[in-house]
Amino acid sequence: MSNYLISIPKTDTPQGEIIHDPKSKLKVKVVDLLKSRFIPSRGEKRFFVTTDGETLAFETKGYKKHRELLILHMIAWYCLYLGLIEAQIHSNWPLAV
């Protein structure tokens, strides 16, 4: 399994962490939807994760035709890092949370 890097902001703002893939230079921004408002950026790929009482949004930064499988792998890795074993990844905004 690949290892990724996580950058954590120094401020206490709810804008989340960023997952970095050192090989492809792809970055995926993490937003906790219970603590922060999510405004999608044009031209970026986004996915959503739901689990017991948590909803997270993941959005690429600097998307340049990277494989979606790489993005999903980064998200799954991050969920395991957080201990969210039963997380479900959605390609669209989950209506029933």
Side-chain angles (χ1 to χ4, degrees):
M1 180 176 237
S2 296
N3 285 322
Y4 302 107
L5 305 171
I6 300 173
S7 61
I8 301 170
K10 291 182 181 181
T11 61
D12 288 337
T13 59
Q15 284 297 41
E17 302 158 342
I18 297 176
I19 310 164
H20 301 264
D21 179 25
K23 290 181 184 175
S24 70
K25 306 297 185 213
L26 178 65
K27 297 177 185 177
V28 177
K29 180 178 165 183
V30 183
V31 179
D32 186 342
L33 296 177
L34 297 177
K35 298 178 183 176
S36 180
R37 195 173 136 196
F38 175 64
I39 301 170
S41 300
R42 183 178 212 144
E44 301 293 340
K45 291 284 186 178
R46 64 198 59 80
F47 292 93
F48 303 90
V49 168
T50 56
T51 187
D52 299 325
E54 275 194 78
T55 304
L56 301 172
F58 293 83
E59 184 177 58
T60 59
K61 293 182 70 164
Y63 178 73
K64 294 180 181 160
K65 306 294 182 199
H66 293 90
R67 294 180 21 210
E68 282 192 14
L69 185 59
L70 172 62
I71 300 166
L72 292 170
H73 191 263
M74 292 172 74
I75 293 169
W77 178 88
Y78 183 78
C79 289
L80 285 175
Y81 165 76
L82 291 180
L84 304 175
I85 304 301
E86 296 191 21
Q88 296 180 357
I89 301 174
H90 308 274
S91 58
N92 295 314
W93 188 275
L95 298 176
V97 180

